[in-house]
Every structure is written in C-alpha cells, then in structure tokens.
Amino acid sequence: MGYKNAMFLLSILISFVLYGQKKIIFKDNFVNNKNRWKLEKADDEFSVRIKDKALYFKKNHRNAVNNGCLWFEKNIRKFKAEKNFIITFYAKILSSDDVSNGFDFQWGKIEEDTNTSSSISTSLYQLDFGLTDMRLSKFDNINGWTYYDWSDSYTETLNYTLQYGILYKYEIIQRNDTLTVLINDKIVYALPIKPQDGKSIGVQQCLKSHWLLSRLSIKQ
C-alpha cells in the first residue's frame, strides 16, 4: 500500500476517534451578529454581510480587472491552532468566475493592519476549495507562500464535485501531524502537516465569487 493511500486510511480512523473527545469552544449560527464579525458594506468590489442565518462574502470583479484581496479574520479567544481541532461549517458557492472557482478558509495567526486595510499574516494555513479539488497552502512573513499538492494528485477514488447553489458540510480536522478534510462526511483530502500557533480563522477573498458560510463550530 502506498504512503498516500495509507494516510487516507489513517485519517478515517482518526476522524472517528476525535468526535467523541472534543468540546465545542466556539459556535455561530449567524442568527445575528452576536459574535461581532467585522462586516463590510457593499462597495464597488467587496462586501461581507450577515443575512438569512449565514455570512456572505462577495468580490464583484475578476482579479485581472480589479487586482485586490479582502483579508478577513476572526479571533477566537479559546482557539489554539497549534492543538488538535475540528472546524465544522456549511458553505454554498453561489457564483464564481475567475482563474479558479471556489473559496478559501484559513486558520492560524492572522493579524490585520488597520492602518492600511490589508493583512499582515505571520503564520497561517489556507485551504483552497475548488469545485472538483482542493489544495493546502501555508503563508508566513519570512517565506511567503508554500503550496502543497492538489487533492486529485492523491487518489482518483476520493475526488469530489461541488455544484453551485448547493449547501455542503465541511470538516477540517487537525490531529497531531495529520490534516484531514471531509465534505458531507466523506474524506476528500489528507496529508502531513506541521501545526502552527494562532487564535484566528479567516478567508482571503481575491477572486470573483459569491459564497456563504453558515453553522460554524470549532471543537478542541
């Protein structure tokens, strides 16, 4: 059995073990803005809003037309990104039209520079969720971006396909040196990872898309 396939089998066992051991340290159903998410009023490019029990993200133009990114982060007081965790959320891609289609999700140390409205991200991981595959990347101020293999390079049998307008369940599980990702309770990605410290989650909205996030929880 190859190493990558062995990693997937190991991840399956890890996933079952974790569910009975962790406590919910953060939860939001987005009925209102009780957790004080930083909402962005709609302008010519970006908007972040809470509506219909969901957090909506939108970029209006392709990056080739309007080159820019919205760095969005939320500090979770009890969250420790260097420890084992399970992040669960539901997401729906409403539309996308750029060099790639989908959305991303980040965790780690994400520090926002309010003076320049940009983000100084000292140490974070990011998962790029595409319509048929995903990729892990890592960013820090010293090395910049490091990109890992796309999920479809691991095994064809665990590929997935997302459709516009459909709500899917996502789970990001970090257990020691293994990262496992599930969509609708099916493992679609697993690889070794070196946990990074931090207390934040977030997204980086760079490509033209409109999507929503709902029913977010973190277990640790």
Side-chain angles (χ1 to χ4, degrees), residues 7-8 10-15 18 85-87 107 127 134 171-175 177-183 186-193:
M7 285 294 298
F8 274 100
L10 176 61
S11 299
I12 293 173
L13 297 175
I14 290 170
S15 300
L18 276 177
F85 63 75
I86 304 172
I87 298 174
W107 65 93
L127 274 170
M134 70 182 66
E171 291 167 285
I172 302 170
I173 301 173
Q174 179 176 283
R175 170 81 173 171
D177 59 352
T178 302
L179 177 73
T180 308
V181 184
L182 295 83
I183 299 179
K186 174 185 175 182
I187 292 181
V188 294
Y189 198 33
L191 72 168
I193 191 173

Side-chain angles (χ1 to χ4, degrees), residues 67-212:
N67 185 12
C69 297
L70 172 68
W71 287 83
F72 185 90
E73 62 89 19
K74 175 67 176 173
N75 183 273
I76 310 296
R77 183 174 58 86
K78 295 182 179 180
F79 180 47
K80 296 180 180 179
E82 68 274 17
K83 303 293 185 180
N84 296 341
F85 63 75
I86 304 172
I87 298 174
T88 303
F89 60 88
Y90 289 74
K92 180 190 298 186
I93 304 173
L94 302 172
S95 65
S96 57
D97 178 25
D98 216 307
V99 294
S100 64
N101 297 307
F103 66 95
D104 64 61
F105 191 91
Q106 301 176 338
W107 65 93
K109 188 180 296 181
I110 310 170
E111 299 178 1
E112 185 176 0
D113 184 348
T114 56
N115 293 324
T116 61
S117 298
S118 63
S119 180
I120 302 174
S121 306
T122 56
S123 179
L124 65 84
Y125 279 110
Q126 175 175 299
L127 274 170
D128 298 309
F129 290 96
L131 296 177
T132 58
D133 56 4
M134 70 182 66
R135 178 183 65 181
L136 179 71
S137 55
K138 178 185 175 183
F139 180 85
D140 64 63
N141 284 344
I142 298 175
N143 300 306
W145 286 100
T146 300
Y147 298 99
Y148 295 76
D149 290 338
W150 287 93
S151 59
D152 61 6
S153 70
Y154 284 82
T155 172
E156 295 181 359
T157 60
L158 293 180
N159 284 355
Y160 67 90
T161 300
L162 304 181
Q163 298 182 24
Y164 292 112
I166 303 296
L167 190 69
Y168 294 94
K169 177 185 178 182
Y170 297 81
E171 291 167 285
I172 302 170
I173 301 173
Q174 179 176 283
R175 170 81 173 171
N176 299 331
D177 59 352
T178 302
L179 177 73
T180 308
V181 184
L182 295 83
I183 299 179
N184 283 355
D185 301 318
K186 174 185 175 182
I187 292 181
V188 294
Y189 198 33
L191 72 168
I193 191 173
K194 182 179 179 180
Q196 301 292 306
D197 64 352
K199 302 180 70 64
S200 295
I201 59 174
V203 305
Q204 180 192 186
Q205 186 83 6
C206 292
L207 304 179
K208 181 181 179 182
S209 66
H210 187 198
W211 66 284
L212 66 86

Side-chain angles (χ1 to χ4, degrees), residues 9-24:
L9 293 177
L10 176 61
S11 299
I12 293 173
L13 297 175
I14 290 170
S15 300
F16 282 110
V17 172
L18 276 177
Y19 280 109
Q21 295 183 341
K22 300 302 177 184
K23 296 181 180 180
I24 295 177

Side-chain angles (χ1 to χ4, degrees), residues 45-58:
E45 195 54 29
F46 300 105
S47 66
V48 181
R49 59 178 179 151
I50 290 178
K51 178 183 177 183
D52 300 328
K53 299 181 181 180
L55 185 62
Y56 286 75
F57 297 90
K58 187 177 183 181

